[in-house]
Amino acid sequence: MYRYDNHDQTLVDERVAQFRDQMRRYLEGKISEEEFLPIRVQNGLYVQRYAPMLRIAIPYGMLASYQLRKLGELAARYDRGYGHFTTRTNLQLNWPKLEDVPEMLAQLASVQMHSIQTSGNDIRNTTTDQFAGIAADEEVDPRPWCELIRQWSTFHPEFYYLPRKFKIAVTGAAEDRAAIQVHDIGLRLWRNDAGDVRVKVLVGGGLGRTPMIGETICEDLPWQHLLTYLEAVLRVYNQFGRRDNKFKARIKILTKALGIDEMRRRVEEEWAHLKDGAQTLNQQAIDDMAAHFVDPPRRKVDDAAIEAFEALRRDNRAFARFVTNNVTDHKVPGYKAVTLSLKRSGHSPGDVTSEQMAQIADLADEYSFGELRVTHEQNLVLSDVAVDRIEELWHKLEELRLANPTVGTLADLICCPGGDYCALANAKSIPVAQAIQERFDSLDFLYDLGPLDLNISGCMNACGHHHVGHIGILGVDKKGEEYYQISLGGSQGNESSLGKILGPSFFREDVPEVIDKVLQVYVGAREADETFIDTYRRIGLKPFKEHVYA
Amino acid sequence: MPEQTPQRPLIKERRLVEDAWVLQSDVDDEGANPVKPMTIVRLDVWLAAERRDDLAPWLPSDTQLDEDTVAALRDAPLIAIDFPKFTDGRGYSLARVLRERHGFKGEIRAVGDVLIDQLSYMARCGFDAFSLREDQVVEDALASLTVFSRHYQVSVDNPEPMFLRRQREARERQRETAVA
Ligand code: HEM
Ligand code: SF4
């Protein structure tokens, strides 16, 4: 975990004081609504359909138990006793009072947290692989780099009024679990033959109204130049990104309009002036950051314990289900990462109560060195659990209803807040998620379907990542009525692709039935162990379309 | 178009000062050949006019700082940068590039939709004068400039990024303990 030093703490404290004063001036009528808007959103404060909403940053998804406890307290004291984990690994509180927000921010600062730049046309919270630092397939631990980016981007004076928001995702593993191809900038850290860190830089990805896959602007940037290069990209975007139409303002539109080669030329021209400047990283800077992310004091887990774990897995079907779906291999033998599912029937995906937050914090202390991760699939991860303690942890998670053994299956769907909370929604999304979870609640069926991403957004802003769901559901509005459009074939990860629309949209009641028909086609057509997405890629959209609209 | 009426307060070097300049926002018939002294005119008008100590340019936010423009701007008595809307962030980059790349030492003045809550970012990017919108409270504006005591990233006001500052401070601490 990154721990604040005196500089970090002073900065967040000064930020709280600044916002307190801004809120005072707003409440005194000295700042207009329109002019207060960017100020409040730069501090994570939205005004939503029914109430304000506060979006709290969980930088690159890393969370300490004491921080989670504080989040639980805040939700209990200033909200309705629950919070919502988002696909950008932030936590949203849906019902705070406007005038309480400065005090909430002060409390967050007391546990080294903030809500800075969680919204607004600025550089947002950087996201990464939820298994950073523990993944078996990792080449470079992205966390120190993420923290360097966090610091560089926090209060960056030049980039506070960009044409539109700007999101950076980082991965250092063979498998991309951070969706770097659908971010404004995606960074893939890798090592060259000499063992030096290099950065592959993608630019111009994004979802929303005009989804696009990012393109490579630089294949092998030496690590020293990471910040100056980012600054060059941002400056080109700040200068040339469209400001006349907010739907065409993201860097993806600029990249498309210029073409990647011209974009690269402009960035390199800009970079030539910044390269080797004061912001060039040195080894000490990396080492200082890396010192915050040292391995926890893991013990040696002996072979007998590992064998006992495997034996239990063979003998106990329920345990085996949990392990297969919710437990992930670790770079250290004898340790595993355990995913806590925030998805179950009748529950809003990603929601956690204050009480659960406190309980989960206790489990993190007891089983995982007090550390947690938030995933962009809206689950939580205990990153360092010894295999001889997984059974015990599993029982406790069952009691808390956090052990639903469905991570990665259809039931583990991603869903935005939609019309129940969000002022921009065309349609509700949570009831659709719940109806699908209820309809497909047989574990055997879910397992038979295998890995399946179903993502739901309540409007084309795509907060629920519907474009990159194997099955995507999008709420649309037709003459004031809520309809749902289904798309197939999207995917995230190394082979990111955008889904194709199946056809005319459906009433909400019909969505589970339509999903069922889609699944029937897959089950009928699949060969051997073929996954849904592979079958789709082989047979295409047509058979699905024919069956659904038959 | 930046608007300027006499009551716009001018903050310079963190103080409220008298504004000796008049900003001419429109390019009207006079604009083609400006004669009034102490006037700030749009860049293209300024470029077309003769260089004078009492005539200064204001840059629209979409200005491209090409070589010829930069060469001409070296002689400007001050450079104003327009914020047509406070949410238009291009002026921040313009100011930084003028200061850091082209070494412009004179006054860089923010004009247009200049509001209190953007001043600290503007100052960090190299603005040293702010022609505040009429309705802004000067005391609050002055206070806003001193909100942050330190910075993570390099900008005009801060040549040392936080990671280097930490390294320097660590060395200093080491030296102190060595002496003690
Ligand atoms: C409830 C209030 C929310 C509002 C008003 C809101 C607003 C928006 C808007 C306007 C966009 C489109 C931006 C664009 O296309 O340029 C967007 C995209 C997005 N938001 Fe939200 N959002 C909300 C909640 C959420 C939640 C809960 C999540 C996570 C679960 C989230 C994560 C994202 C992501 C990942 C995108 C799409 C990625 C991209 O644009 O490239 N947002 N949001
Ligand atoms: S996708 Fe649309 S409805 Fe859903 S949270 Fe985002 S803006 Fe709101």
Side-chain angles (χ1 to χ4, degrees):
Chain A
M1 270 308 280
Y2 183 74
R3 303 274 164 164
Y4 283 7
D5 68 3
N6 158 45
H7 296 304
D8 302 297
Q9 190 66 50
T10 305
L11 276 165
V12 293
D13 292 345
E14 288 170 347
R15 177 62 153 199
V16 172
Q18 180 191 40
F19 189 61
R20 224 188 258 285
D21 187 57
Q22 289 166 330
M23 179 67 90
R24 171 187 65 77
R25 285 165 37 226
Y26 167 70
L27 294 173
E28 287 171 3
K30 289 188 185 150
I31 309 182
S32 73
E33 202 67 58
E34 186 207 352
E35 286 155 11
F36 187 56
L37 190 143
I39 298 173
R40 65 169 164 74
V41 297
Q42 284 157 358
N43 288 285
L45 179 58
Y46 275 84
V47 174
Q48 274 312 304
R49 181 155 286 201
Y50 303 110
M53 171 198 97
L54 182 65
R55 184 181 287 159
I56 297 164
I58 300 174
Y60 38 95
M62 298 283 298
L63 192 60
S65 55
Y66 64 90
Q67 293 175 323
L68 183 59
R69 236 174 246 119
K70 176 58 93 181
L71 293 174
E73 277 171 39
L74 287 179
R77 177 145 172 222
Y78 297 103
D79 206 295
R80 297 192 182 167
Y82 68 92
H84 173 81
F85 285 104
T86 77
T87 52
R88 303 212 67 260
T89 73
N90 295 314
L91 182 82
Q92 291 185 176
L93 298 178
N94 288 307
W95 312 96
K97 281 216 230 29
L98 209 58
E99 50 287 12
D100 284 340
V101 171
E103 183 51 32
M104 294 169 78
L105 297 187
Q107 300 233 2
L108 284 175
S110 76
V111 290
Q112 313 196 338
M113 295 189 85
H114 62 75
S115 61
I116 297 160
Q117 291 164 228
T118 53
S119 185
N121 295 335
D122 45 32
I123 305 170
R124 302 286 190 87
N125 185 20
T126 299
T127 50
T128 190
D129 184 346
Q130 69 257 35
F131 300 122
I134 55 166
D137 67 343
E138 186 169 278
E139 258 180 281
V140 182
D141 183 349
R143 295 171 300 172
W145 305 90
C146 288
E147 179 58 27
L148 282 164
I149 294 169
R150 184 190 76 82
Q151 298 193 9
W152 163 77
S153 60
T154 298
F155 310 138
H156 198 304
E158 190 180 343
F159 306 131
Y160 244 62
Y161 292 92
L162 295 168
R164 202 73 181 80
K165 58 179 160 180
F166 203 92
K167 301 173 181 179
I168 303 175
V170 190
T171 178
E175 185 192 340
D176 170 17
R177 285 172 289 261
I180 64 166
Q181 296 183 9
V182 289
H183 281 76
D184 296 285
I185 288 184
L187 301 174
R188 167 69 158 91
L189 305 166
W190 57 284
R191 280 183 203 280
N192 65 9
D193 293 341
D196 291 332
V197 173
R198 294 290 168 124
V199 192
K200 176 172 167 170
V201 184
L202 309 182
V203 70
L207 299 175
R209 189 173 288 252
T210 321
M212 285 185 200
I213 302 285
E215 294 183 84
T216 303
I217 188 164
C218 181
E219 198 63 62
D220 58 350
L221 183 72
W223 58 268
Q224 293 87 339
H225 303 302
L226 178 64
L227 299 182
T228 55
Y229 193 87
L230 291 177
E231 195 144 307
V233 176
L234 264 297
R235 184 172 289 165
V236 167
Y237 172 55
N238 191 37
Q239 217 178 351
F240 298 106
R242 284 182 64 172
R243 290 172 184 271
D244 57 329
N245 178 342
K246 85 176 217 182
F247 300 120
K248 295 196 169 22
R250 297 286 291 270
I251 197 173
K252 61 192 172 189
I253 306 287
L254 177 66
T255 309
K256 199 87 202 160
L258 296 177
I260 187 70
D261 293 328
E262 173 61 12
M263 186 73 184
R264 183 180 301 113
R265 193 193 63 74
R266 291 195 193 186
V267 167
E268 284 178 2
E269 190 181 302
E270 191 58 48
W271 186 45
H273 298 287
L274 297 166
K275 187 169 178 277
D276 299 318
Q279 225 143 223
T280 306
L281 293 164
N282 60 13
Q283 189 60 48
Q284 190 64 46
I286 310 303
D287 294 347
D288 288 348
M289 277 306 160
H292 287 274
F293 302 97
V294 290
D295 285 338
R298 300 184 188 104
R299 66 192 153 83
K300 172 104 186 70
V301 178
D302 59 29
D303 292 348
I306 297 175
E307 183 40 44
F309 168 78
E310 293 300 341
L312 184 67
R313 202 175 159 180
R314 282 192 296 274
D315 300 340
N316 182 332
R317 181 141 180 260
F319 184 67
R321 285 174 155 170
F322 176 75
V323 172
T324 303
N325 293 285
N326 300 23
V327 175
T328 308
D329 282 343
H330 198 289
K331 67 177 184 186
V332 177
Y335 276 83
K336 302 274 183 191
V338 176
T339 300
L340 282 52
S341 171
L342 305 184
K343 320 286 174 67
R344 60 173 191 274
S345 217
H347 176 87
S348 300
D351 277 10
V352 185
T353 65
S354 290
E355 196 185 2
Q356 279 177 322
M357 288 190 227
Q359 289 160 332
I360 294 168
D362 290 344
L363 293 180
D365 282 337
E366 200 174 336
Y367 295 95
S368 189
F369 305 98
E371 255 184 47
L372 300 118
R373 317 288 179 90
V374 183
T375 80
H376 80 272
E377 289 93 358
Q378 305 178 277
N379 290 315
L380 295 173
V381 170
L382 296 184
S383 46
D384 279 276
V385 186
V387 291
D388 50 8
R389 305 199 67 201
I390 291 181
E391 187 193 3
E392 194 182 291
L393 172 62
W394 170 57
H395 287 303
K396 293 191 179 173
L397 290 174
E398 293 245 280
E399 279 168 37
L400 300 180
R401 306 186 68 196
L402 295 167
N404 205 7
T406 55
V407 173
T409 71
L410 175 65
D412 188 23
L413 39 75
I414 294 179
C415 178
C416 81
D420 290 295
Y421 299 98
C422 174
L424 303 175
N426 284 330
K428 292 192 179 185
S429 51
I430 294 170
V432 179
Q434 291 176 340
I436 292 170
Q437 285 170 326
E438 264 155 47
R439 170 137 186 164
F440 306 103
D441 66 347
S442 147
L443 285 179
D444 288 328
F445 183 61
L446 291 173
Y447 295 156
D448 179 57
L449 292 173
L452 222 174
D453 295 343
L454 186 145
N455 299 353
I456 311 175
S457 305
C459 77
M460 62 289 197
N461 287 324
C463 300
H465 293 189
H466 66 276
H467 303 109
V468 291
H470 301 152
I471 301 176
I473 302 180
L474 166 66
V476 289
D477 174 287
K478 284 194 199 163
K479 302 200 183 84
E481 297 262 12
E482 297 188 354
Y483 285 87
Y484 296 86
Q485 188 180 71
I486 312 278
S487 57
L488 299 181
S491 73
Q492 56 182 19
N494 295 1
E495 303 277 312
S496 292
S497 55
L498 303 169
K500 288 208 171 69
I501 296 167
L502 188 60
S505 40
F506 303 95
F507 290 122
R508 187 189 302 159
E509 308 79 88
D510 297 336
V511 172
E513 183 61 29
V514 173
I515 303 299
D516 194 36
K517 285 189 176 155
V518 166
L519 297 174
Q520 286 165 14
V521 175
Y522 159 58
V523 171
R526 70 178 158 190
E527 291 174 352
D529 289 340
E530 213 175 33
T531 60
F532 179 89
I533 186 69
D534 288 338
T535 301
Y536 170 87
R537 283 179 178 154
R538 182 170 54 78
I539 67 176
L541 194 65
K542 203 159 153 256
F544 292 96
K545 199 173 173 131
E546 283 170 1
H547 188 58
V548 169
Y549 294 99
Chain B
M1 288 294 128
E3 302 230 338
Q4 179 152 326
T5 47
Q7 40 311 20
R8 283 181 76 111
L10 182 72
I11 290 182
K12 206 179 154 179
E13 282 150 15
R14 309 202 166 184
R15 285 186 304 119
L16 181 67
V17 297
E18 281 293 317
D19 191 355
W21 292 85
V22 175
L23 187 116
Q24 184 180 302
S25 48
D26 301 320
V27 183
D28 47 26
D29 32 342
E30 273 179 303
N33 187 14
V35 283
K36 281 189 235 149
M38 298 306 281
T39 310
I40 306 174
V41 296
R42 200 171 69 192
L43 177 64
D44 55 336
V45 177
W46 184 79
L47 286 172
E50 246 177 88
R51 291 297 92 88
R52 282 167 24 188
D53 278 351
D54 59 357
L55 194 66
W58 63 264
L59 277 44
S61 65
D62 63 356
T63 300
Q64 298 303 314
L65 292 172
D66 55 60
E67 255 174 68
D68 292 345
T69 308
V70 168
L73 285 173
R74 285 186 202 292
D75 301 326
L78 71 82
I79 299 175
I81 296 177
D82 180 33
F83 288 82
K85 196 80 200 83
F86 73 97
T87 48
D88 182 341
R90 286 174 283 192
Y92 297 91
S93 291
L94 286 174
R96 258 194 98 181
V97 169
L98 284 172
R99 289 273 190 240
E100 292 178 336
R101 185 168 312 161
H102 303 301
F104 185 76
K105 295 277 191 300
E107 173 181 328
I108 299 186
R109 175 185 294 206
V111 298
D113 202 18
V114 180
L115 311 182
I116 293 167
D117 294 291
Q118 284 76 49
L119 298 190
S120 66
Y121 306 119
M122 289 176 180
R124 292 208 57 207
C125 288
F127 287 92
D128 54 357
F130 310 94
S131 170
L132 288 179
R133 207 175 64 188
E134 299 79 349
D135 60 348
Q136 303 293 293
V137 179
V138 172
E139 296 71 54
D140 290 339
L142 290 170
S144 79
L145 286 167
T146 51
V147 165
F148 292 107
S149 60
R150 63 206 69 203
H151 307 291
Y152 283 125
Q153 57 293 100
V154 169
S155 197
V156 176
D157 65 336
N158 179 45
E160 187 184 41
M162 188 57 85
F163 62 83
L164 289 184
R165 175 168 175 172
R166 289 185 170 119
Q167 292 173 22
R168 173 172 56 77
E169 288 172 348
R171 281 193 305 272
E172 284 163 6
R173 276 195 302 275
Q174 255 171 15
R175 259 201 304 276
E176 273 166 34
T177 35
V179 173

